[in-house]
Amino acid sequence: MDFFVTHQTADHYSGDCAVAFAFKDTINENRILQSLIELNRFEASEGDTLMLSQVDGYKTKRVLVMGLGEAPLSNKGFLKALKLLSSVMESAKVKNVVIPDINVDGYDDSWIQSTIARELKNASYKIDKVGIKKEKNTTFLEAVNIFSKDNGINDIKKGVATANGMALARELGDLPPNICTPTYIAERAQLLASKYNLKCEILEESDMKTLGMNSLLSVSLGSAQPAKLISLNYSNGGKEDPIVLVGKGVTFDSGGISLKPGSGMDEMKYDMCGAASVLGTMSAVAEMGLKVNLTVVVPTVENMPAHNASRPGDVVKSMSGQTIEILNTDAEGRLILCDALTYCEKFNPKVVIDVATLTGAVIVALGKHHSGVMSNDQNLADSLKNSGMSAMDTVWQLPLDDEYDELLKSNFADMANIGGREAGTVTAACFLARYTKNYSWAHIDIAGTAWLGGAKKGATGRPVPLLTQYVLDQIKS
Ligand code: BES
Ligand code: MN
Ligand code: ZN
């Protein structure tokens, strides 16, 4: 899919299809279009579409009229319209399209153009069925022309880079867990590094042993797949301390000896979506060539039950020196993240943001709309909230008071790895907070937002838009 900027109104464009946006109770400027709208009893409600052929005054073969409801158009209404537009383009087999000027309440043209590019490109994502060679997606748009008063091409490039990062995250998430192993993720990270000339370091289990990462290593004891700790550095920001992103990379979470129930267990292949999203963000940032320093750290393991797996009751010593009583082997995410978070100190981070499908409890609390955010630095939490709103990939903050931390008390180690039934998302974050005292840190729980189940089963690419926007926002300010 290629993107172009056009400075002309849609009726000047000759090609396959022009889009015409229509609000309720607003007469269309084009009189012929207006009479066709009336003739077809088109009401321009949100979600209404009307495909017209050979409209007088238009040079395109077809005109797609899209209803937007009452003006003004909100950001959410705009997002819905773009998703609908993508699906109509696909079902109507449109090859090239021109998208006219549109106002979105409270947003500037840059935002509008990059959002159009991101959403259309993201809609073209398709996972190959395993064993079937990549076919060219012949039913989808080849060229998109977006109206812009000024140059606009940089905004479009930003949208495309974000969508490409989302595609990487979605692909890694959707791949089956017998293919997407820790070793496979490490190979994909190396590919990304060679594509953009990044520094790449991959620690093997023996290296991690030397560093004292016994908490991380305890999770993969029962697996035939060796654990990896991947780090990638993108340095284009001079002497500034890097933004460090850490992503949970459990390529399959069976629960271990604290085995999960069978139904829906296949979805635990998505337990590496944190890892996938930080790699996707690196891809987006490097593709844009942003003037920043960005490091991503990915602890990746498989959590399996076996004779040599860790048991409930085991005590391990983390890299930080703090000891952990493993009361539930299914609370494994925090066990790999705590060592990765200690490891991050060597990068002298400006901030550290970890991203993880950490708790089922966050789905109970927030559903599938917002990711959960918790932080030891309110400014960082606020920045993430703002970047999330602007990217329409939002977070909702949960508390981190000491009272919750007390639930992690253990009689046999410095802490237990679970806090009981209450406030599961918060106690998981409290556990991580014990390893992040030396820097400004935020934790994003994406268990509800990283993938969809049911008929729409698939990775969403979230929170790549949020993280990419966050990095962009650090440059401007
Ligand atoms: N990967 C899961 C969290 C999860 C569960 C994500 C369901 C998406 C859907 C995590 O490793 C886990 O198992 N967490 C436990 C923690 C509990 C044992 C304290 C959970 O949420 O049940
Ligand atoms: Mn688990
Ligand atoms: Zn997990």
Side-chain angles (χ1 to χ4, degrees):
M1 188 184 291
D2 296 317
F3 288 86
F4 304 92
V5 165
T6 175
H7 301 294
Q8 291 189 310
T9 52
D11 53 348
H12 284 86
Y13 174 78
S14 52
D16 205 355
C17 183
V19 173
F21 293 114
F23 288 101
K24 257 189 166 164
D25 308 324
T26 315
I27 309 293
N28 201 287
E29 287 158 26
N30 182 314
R31 272 214 269 120
I32 292 153
L33 212 51
Q34 180 63 26
S35 66
L36 285 167
I37 285 172
E38 281 164 18
L39 187 69
N40 285 280
R41 302 189 195 286
F42 183 78
E43 290 180 339
S45 299
E46 201 182 283
D48 284 355
T49 58
L50 176 65
M51 187 66 101
L52 301 167
S53 305
Q54 294 169 326
V55 178
D56 272 347
Y58 274 87
K59 296 185 185 134
T60 49
K61 293 191 199 106
R62 295 181 279 181
V63 175
L64 173 67
V65 190
M66 292 199 73
L68 299 173
E70 314 269 358
L73 180 61
S74 69
N75 60 348
K76 286 185 184 176
F78 182 52
L79 189 66
K80 271 197 215 160
L82 291 174
K83 291 196 190 298
L84 180 60
L85 173 62
S86 305
S87 77
V88 175
M89 292 295 106
E90 183 166 17
S91 56
K93 299 189 171 64
V94 172
K95 292 281 172 224
N96 55 74
V97 66
V98 59
I99 299 169
D101 197 13
I102 174 87
N103 286 321
V104 181
D105 198 28
Y107 291 84
D108 63 12
D109 289 351
S110 287
W111 182 89
I112 291 169
Q113 286 146 28
S114 73
T115 304
I116 293 172
R118 183 187 97 190
E119 284 304 310
L120 291 185
K121 182 81 192 178
N122 182 40
S124 75
Y125 165 82
K126 266 215 160 84
I127 181 81
D128 300 339
K129 296 230 164 114
V130 174
I132 300 173
K133 258 196 88 189
K134 210 180 190 98
E135 281 173 57
K136 227 181 146 211
N137 189 353
T138 48
T139 55
F140 214 75
L141 275 173
E142 285 160 10
V144 179
N145 298 272
I146 301 173
F147 177 86
S148 169
K149 290 189 199 83
D150 35 64
N151 190 346
I153 198 70
N154 281 329
D155 302 315
I156 290 171
K157 280 185 179 158
K158 173 192 157 191
V160 171
T162 306
N164 286 336
M166 292 169 81
L168 173 59
R170 293 176 70 181
E171 189 198 347
L172 289 173
D174 286 335
L175 278 169
N178 57 330
I179 292 176
C180 186
T181 60
T183 304
Y184 181 85
I185 293 185
E187 284 166 9
R188 293 296 296 262
Q190 275 168 326
L191 277 180
L192 192 63
S194 49
K195 182 167 179 190
Y196 293 111
N197 219 348
L198 313 171
K199 185 173 166 230
C200 176
E201 191 166 28
I202 292 166
L203 300 192
E204 305 296 333
E205 288 186 345
S206 54
D207 305 316
M208 291 187 256
K209 183 99 203 136
T210 311
L211 288 169
M213 296 184 166
N214 302 304
S215 180
L216 188 160
L217 289 168
S218 77
V219 177
S220 80
L221 286 175
S223 171
Q225 299 293 335
K228 308 271 172 184
L229 184 69
I230 305 159
S231 54
L232 293 176
N233 308 88
Y234 169 83
S235 338
N236 196 23
K239 285 191 165 43
E240 274 199 21
D241 290 336
I243 297 168
V244 179
L245 304 177
V246 182
K248 171 181 172 182
V250 176
T251 61
F252 187 72
D253 181 12
S254 69
I257 296 297
S258 313
L259 194 64
K260 286 186 181 292
S263 101
M265 206 205 271
D266 68 287
E267 293 190 16
M268 282 299 117
K269 72 173 183 177
Y270 290 113
D271 211 18
M272 34 54 67
C273 283
S277 74
V278 301
L279 292 172
T281 303
M282 179 58 95
S283 160
V285 167
E287 183 177 328
M288 284 185 273
L290 298 184
K291 295 236 174 309
V292 285
N293 293 329
L294 177 68
T295 293
V296 306
V297 174
V298 170
T300 174
V301 301
E302 186 186 49
N303 186 21
M304 295 297 253
H307 68 97
N308 54 347
S310 25
R311 296 149 284 253
D314 282 1
V315 173
V316 294
K317 188 174 196 170
S318 66
M319 182 180 176
S320 71
Q322 301 176 90
T323 57
I324 304 159
E325 184 187 13
I326 301 173
L327 288 178
N328 189 320
T329 64
D330 197 13
E332 85 298 339
R334 60 199 81 179
L335 294 176
I336 69 168
L337 287 169
C338 69
D339 279 340
L341 288 166
T342 302
Y343 182 73
C344 283
E345 289 181 15
K346 78 171 207 162
F347 299 112
N348 286 318
K350 186 160 83 178
V351 297
V352 176
I353 302 164
D354 80 73
V355 189
T357 49
L358 205 62
T359 64
V362 80
I363 314 174
V364 179
L366 301 176
K368 304 211 140 263
H369 300 293
H370 299 293
S371 305
V373 69
M374 287 135 278
S375 179
N376 63 14
D377 173 354
Q378 192 54 40
N379 286 328
L380 175 56
D382 289 340
S383 302
L384 287 166
K385 286 187 222 175
N386 288 330
S387 303
M389 283 195 283
S390 123
M392 288 190 291
D393 179 5
T394 50
V395 290
W396 197 265
Q397 191 174 4
L398 298 174
L400 261 191
D401 305 80
D402 292 342
E403 286 80 355
Y404 295 103
D405 178 79
E406 285 167 22
L407 297 167
L408 296 171
K409 273 193 181 138
S410 159
N411 287 345
F412 306 104
D414 292 326
M415 71 201 77
N417 80 327
I418 53 170
R421 276 166 41 82
E422 295 163 19
T425 304
V426 174
T427 54
C430 287
F431 181 98
L432 299 178
R434 292 178 178 226
Y435 298 83
T436 59
K437 295 209 184 322
N438 296 335
Y439 47 70
S440 166
W441 158 78
H443 159 63
I444 305 178
D445 195 332
I446 57 165
T449 53
W451 78 91
L452 299 173
K456 286 186 172 169
K457 194 189 282 183
T460 59
R462 290 180 67 181
V464 172
L466 156 67
L467 295 171
T468 305
Q469 189 62 44
Y470 172 78
V471 175
L472 273 159
D473 291 343
Q474 302 322 298
I475 302 167
K476 282 176 199 152
S477 58

